[in-house]
Structure formats: structure tokens, C-alpha cells
């Protein structure tokens, strides 16, 4: 009996200590839950307080390789009305969408768009092209709540994103943004995608790329890259840059003066000079009228001359060669590093009435007797180089077809991935795709400016 009493006396302090700890943990849990509930209530109240809703700048994937895209969200008690700028890829969602949302605190204060929205879930939904699609998010952990700015980060991507209070209707904001973006890359507007200058005595050089990435150098540092998105009058970075001791995340652009203004986190403004990058100057120099010289009868046959023109596209990624055929243009890919144009195998024109398609395929005379070989490899083709002695551009194989060289082109009919054969010159629908009245170009001779 004494032994049992002694044992109980020995355990009593430990039991009392355990009980105190348990009560303390319960108290802490209750306090933490209460604080999270209050925090989410504040977040919801702030989200709902905006008359026009919020601009939500979203950067999908943890590498930000797609750049940033702008959404708008207007919140009520249960739902969010969603709109966005045009999104990448096919099936771009348009118009307005409504989805339910909630504020959770299971893993910290989190804004969750918890019913499917083809707009808001665009970057996050898996597809046949990849389980994680663009690597986007549908859940955003709330980092801070301000009256006009709410900072969050993606639960999956960990990318930081911001919601900015709208001061105009969402439709008006997005329309202004789309106009600015279109004008910025319109060749006729002659916008300057490069800028340079000093900020607080430190040299800064940068170029905005069409992939929503900005390349920049600060002082003597190496070239770096940062993702960006658009506003109605500026380009805003994913992450602030430190230049001259201040943090810069936004660059306003003046369409009239073609100059930039860097804006730091305190709203101070620093003028920067806009300019064309050298590759743009090089690209633009290709535009104009030419004579295209080809052999369309035989490998060593007479040279035929076609009057063609090279016309630029807004993003300066390709040139359209017009005049080869009245029913379609050919795309020539532009290579910045080499300042060259390359003609690749490609679909041309519209599908035929029976659903078959017309494809321009690379051709080599080295192969089966009389027929040669053809290729549809998208990276194969012929590129242009300048011949000083002949004062014209000449065509040469680009080296992407292994041991074979592209010498000319065949115009084939394809059903799905299966080749049906050459276009038929006796079939009016198919004959409309012929080049110089033929189904084949045996040789590309040159391109001479007129």
C-alpha cells in the first residue's frame, strides 16, 4: 500500500505538468485559429470593398517562363466575377466567368478559387499536353493585406503575385491594357523595346522581349532576365530590380516620345532613353520587293523569276513572302543571332473540301531514282545568305536534315499524317496551290532586291 501511495505521489507532478501543457496548447491553438479567422475576415472584407474589383497579375510556373498575365476579379460574399486579357495557346478564354471562392486557414490564410473556371483555372488545369498545364495555381496564400494592394503567393508555384484595387471598370482597364500591348508591338507604331540610362548614377540597359521576359544589365553586371506583364501604360516586372540603390518594378512607356520612365517603390520617377535593339533594325531591313529565282522544270532547267515581297509581322518572328502563289503566303523564320531568314516545311492555304491539307515539303534529289526524298521535319529547310559577288541573297540548306540537304520543295496533299501524293494539276481545287504552274521547285537560286 505504501509503495502504491509513493508511486502515485511520484507521478502526480508529472500528470499535473502534462495537464498544464495540454491546456496551454489548446489555448495557443484557439488563439491561432481566432487570429486566422480575423485575418481572413479582413481579407474578405477588403476584397469585397472594391467597387470595380481587383487587377490580379498572375505569373504561372515557378520559373516564370511564360511571363505574367492580367486577370480581373470582383468579389461578393460567395463568388468572383473573372475576366482576363487574351491568354496564350489555343482555346483562349474570353468574356466573363463566375466561380465560387473561399478563404481557408488550414495551411495559413489562403484564397481558393474552388469551382472550375475556364479563365481563372486556365494556367492550372492539366491537359493531354501536360499534367500541370502551365504550372499555374488555383490557391493563393495571402501574405499581406493593404487597402489598395494585396500580396499573395501561389500555393504550388510559390510565385508571388499582387492584387491591385481597380479604379475603373474591369472592361475599361483590360481594353486599355490590350490597346497598349498591341500598339507597343505594332511595327507601324515604331515602338522602342530597348531602354538605357542612369538611375542614381548607376548605368542601366534593358530590352523587352515578346516572350514577356526582359533582359537587362545593371552597371558592370552580367546579363539577367526577369518576367514582366502589362498595364494600360507600362510594363511591370515580376520582381523589383535594384538600380542605384532603389527598387524598380515598373517602366512606363510614352508612345509619342518613345522614351521610358522607371518608377521605384516610393513612386519616384527616373527618365530613360528608348531605342531599337540592333536585331530589330536588322529585321526591318529585310522588308521590300524582290525577284525570287527558282528552277521549276528540272534540277538543271531554266530559271524562272517571280515577283515577291517580304512583309513583316508585329512580333518580328517571321516574314511573310507574298507573291509565290495568289492563294497563300510562305512564312520565313527570322533568326536574330544570324540575321537570316529560313524557309521551313509548312502547311499552306486552307484545307481542301475533303479535309485533306496541302503541305510544302523539303526535297532532295539524292534518294530514290527519279523521285528523290522529301522531309516534313519542321526544323529542316533552306536559309538565305548574302552573296557579295552576285549582289543577291542565295539559298542554302540549313543543315538540319542529317546527311541530306534540302535543294527544293514539293507541294503534297496529306490526309492526316499520311501523304496522298503531289497536288493534281488537273484538279482545279488542288491546282490552285501550284507554284509557277508546277507541283515542285527543283532548285532555289536566289532572292534579289528590286
Amino acid at each position: 500500500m505504501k509503495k502504491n501511495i509513493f508511486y502515485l505521489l511520484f507521478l502526480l507532478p508529472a500528470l499535473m505538468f502534462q495537464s498544464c501543457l495540454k491546456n496551454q496548447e489548446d489555448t495557443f491553438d484557439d488563439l491561432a485559429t481566432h487570429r486566422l479567422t480575423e485575418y481572413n475576415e479582413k481579407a474578405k472584407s477588403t476584397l469585397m470593398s472594391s467597387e470595380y474589383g481587383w487587377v490580379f497579375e498572375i505569373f504561372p510556373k515557378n520559373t516564370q517562363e511564360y511571363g505574367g498575365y492580367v486577370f480581373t476579379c470582383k468579389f461578393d460574399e460567395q463568388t468572383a466575377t473573372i475576366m482576363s486579357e487574351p491568354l496564350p495557346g489555343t482555346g483562349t478564354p474570353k468574356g466573363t466567368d463566375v466561380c465560387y471562392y473561399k478563404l481557408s486557414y488550414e495551411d495559413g490564410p489562403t484564397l481558393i478559387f474552388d469551382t472550375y473556371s475556364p479563365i481563372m483555372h486556365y494556367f492550372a488545369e492539366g491537359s493531354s499536353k501536360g499534367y500541370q498545364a502551365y504550372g499555374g495555381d488555383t490557391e493563393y496564400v495571402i501574405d499581406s493585406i493593404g487597402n489598395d494592394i494585396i500580396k499573395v503567393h501561389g500555393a504550388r508555384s510559390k510565385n508571388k503575385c499582387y492584387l491591385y484595387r481597380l479604379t475603373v471598370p474591369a472592361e475599361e482597364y483590360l481594353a486599355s491594357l490590350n490597346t497598349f500591348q498591341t500598339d507597343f508591338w505594332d511595327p507601324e507604331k515604331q515602338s522602342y523595346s530597348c531602354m538605357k540610362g542612369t538611375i542614381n548614377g548607376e548605368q542601366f540597359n534593358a530590352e523587352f522581349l515578346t516572350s514577356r521576359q526582359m533582359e537587362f544589365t545593371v552597371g558592370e553586371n552580367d546579363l539577367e532576365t526577369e518576367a514582366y506583364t502589362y498595364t494600360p501604360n507600362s510594363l511591370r516586372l515580376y520582381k523589383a530590380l535594384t538600380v542605384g540603390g532603389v527598387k524598380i518594378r515598373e517602366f512606363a512607356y510614352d508612345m509619342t516620345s518613345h522614351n521610358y520612365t522607371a518608377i521605384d517603390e516610393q513612386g519616384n520617377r527616373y527618365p530613360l532613353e528608348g531605342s531599337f535593339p540592333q536585331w530589330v533594325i536588322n529585321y526591318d531591313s529585310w522588308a521590300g520587293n524582290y525577284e525570287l529565282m527558282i528552277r521549276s522544270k528540272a534540277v538543271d532547267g531554266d530559271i524562272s523569276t517571280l515577283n515577291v515581297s517580304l512583309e513583316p509581322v508585329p512580333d518580328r518572328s517571321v516574314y511573310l513572302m507574298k507573291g509565290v502563289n495568289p492563294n497563300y503566303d510562305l512564312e520565313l523564320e527570322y533568326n536574330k543571332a544570324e540575321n537570316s531568314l529560313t524557309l521551313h516545311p509548312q502547311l499552306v492555304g486552307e484545307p481542301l473540301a475533303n479535309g485533306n491539307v496541302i503541305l510544302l515539303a523539303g526535297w532532295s534529289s539524292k534518294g530514290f531514282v527519279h523521285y528523290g526524298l522529301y522531309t516534313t521535319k519542321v526544323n529542316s529547310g533552306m536559309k538565305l545568305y548574302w552573296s557579295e559577288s552576285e549582289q543577291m541573297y542565295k539559298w542554302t540548306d540549313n543543315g538540319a536534315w542529317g546527311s541530306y540537304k534540302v535543294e527544293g520543295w514539293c507541294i503534297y496533299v496529306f490526309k492526316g499524317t499520311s501523304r496522298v501524293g503531289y497536288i493534281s494539276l488537273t484538279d482545279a481545287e488542288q491546282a490552285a496551290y501550284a507554284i509557277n504552274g508546277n507541283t515542285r521547285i527543283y532548285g532555289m537560286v536566289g532572292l534579289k532586291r528590286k
Side-chain angles (χ1 to χ4, degrees), residues 162-178:
Y162 294 86
L163 290 93
Y164 300 92
R165 183 182 292 269
L166 270 168
T167 57
V168 297
E171 296 89 342
E172 182 179 332
Y173 184 91
L174 290 173
S176 297
L177 180 150
N178 291 334

Side-chain angles (χ1 to χ4, degrees), residues 43-50 54 75 101 103 111 150 163:
K44 187 168 187 175
S45 174
T46 304
L47 288 171
M48 292 175 57
S49 70
S50 179
W54 299 80
F75 297 89
Y101 77 96
L103 289 159
L111 170 63
I150 299 174
L163 290 93

Side-chain angles (χ1 to χ4, degrees), residues 325 328 348 352 357-360 410-414 419-440:
N325 181 290
Y328 58 85
V348 296
L352 300 176
V357 296
I358 307 298
L359 188 140
L360 187 73
C410 296
I411 311 168
Y412 285 131
V413 178
F414 271 75
R419 181 172 67 100
V420 176
Y422 288 105
I423 58 171
S424 170
L425 297 179
T426 59
D427 181 312
E429 185 185 20
Q430 294 184 23
Y433 291 85
I435 296 177
N436 199 35
N438 291 276
T439 63
R440 188 189 309 188

Side-chain angles (χ1 to χ4, degrees), residues 216-435:
F216 67 94
T217 56
V218 177
E220 299 296 325
N221 296 333
D222 293 334
L223 184 70
E224 296 184 60
T225 303
E226 191 60 66
Y228 71 86
T229 190
Y230 298 92
T231 81
N233 61 5
S234 69
L235 303 101
R236 190 146 53 197
L237 304 183
Y238 170 73
K239 183 173 62 180
L241 312 178
T242 300
V243 187
V246 297
K247 292 188 177 297
I248 306 290
R249 204 164 74 85
E250 187 172 353
F251 298 90
Y253 181 71
D254 188 315
M255 290 285 180
T256 303
S257 69
H258 300 298
N259 289 324
Y260 290 87
T261 301
I263 305 171
D264 70 16
E265 292 183 337
Q266 282 67 50
N268 299 311
R269 303 170 77 85
Y270 308 87
L272 297 168
E273 178 187 350
S275 64
F276 278 133
Q278 185 59 47
W279 75 265
V280 170
I281 297 172
N282 293 340
Y283 173 91
D284 291 347
S285 69
W286 285 91
N289 297 318
Y290 294 83
E291 292 180 341
L292 174 65
M293 287 156 280
I294 62 174
R295 299 183 192 275
S296 53
K297 299 292 185 181
V299 173
D300 56 356
D302 294 336
I303 296 175
S304 299
T305 299
L306 304 178
N307 292 318
V308 300
S309 64
L310 293 181
E311 295 192 10
V313 299
D315 68 0
R316 295 184 169 95
S317 59
V318 301
Y319 258 97
L320 300 180
M321 180 181 282
K322 294 178 175 290
V324 172
N325 181 290
N327 299 305
Y328 58 85
D329 305 325
L330 296 179
E331 283 193 358
L332 277 65
E333 182 185 27
Y334 179 68
N335 184 300
K336 293 181 186 179
E338 297 181 356
N339 185 29
S340 64
L341 296 175
T342 300
L343 178 61
H344 295 289
Q346 57 193 266
L347 292 172
V348 296
E350 298 296 325
L352 300 176
N354 61 8
N356 292 346
V357 296
I358 307 298
L359 188 140
L360 187 73
W363 177 80
S364 170
S365 62
K366 307 299 189 292
F368 298 110
V369 177
H370 305 306
Y371 296 106
L373 289 176
Y374 78 93
T375 179
T376 60
K377 288 180 62 176
V378 294
N379 63 334
S380 64
M382 300 184 78
K383 65 181 181 180
L384 289 165
Y385 69 94
W386 178 252
S387 171
E388 186 66 28
S389 61
E390 298 180 71
Q391 288 294 293
M392 72 167 73
Y393 292 101
K394 302 285 287 183
W395 297 90
T396 186
D397 173 72
N398 72 344
W401 194 11
S403 60
Y404 294 98
K405 296 184 183 299
V406 177
E407 302 169 49
W409 302 89
C410 296
I411 311 168
Y412 285 131
V413 178
F414 271 75
K415 181 177 183 179
T417 58
S418 300
R419 181 172 67 100
V420 176
Y422 288 105
I423 58 171
S424 170
L425 297 179
T426 59
D427 181 312
E429 185 185 20
Q430 294 184 23
Y433 291 85
I435 296 177

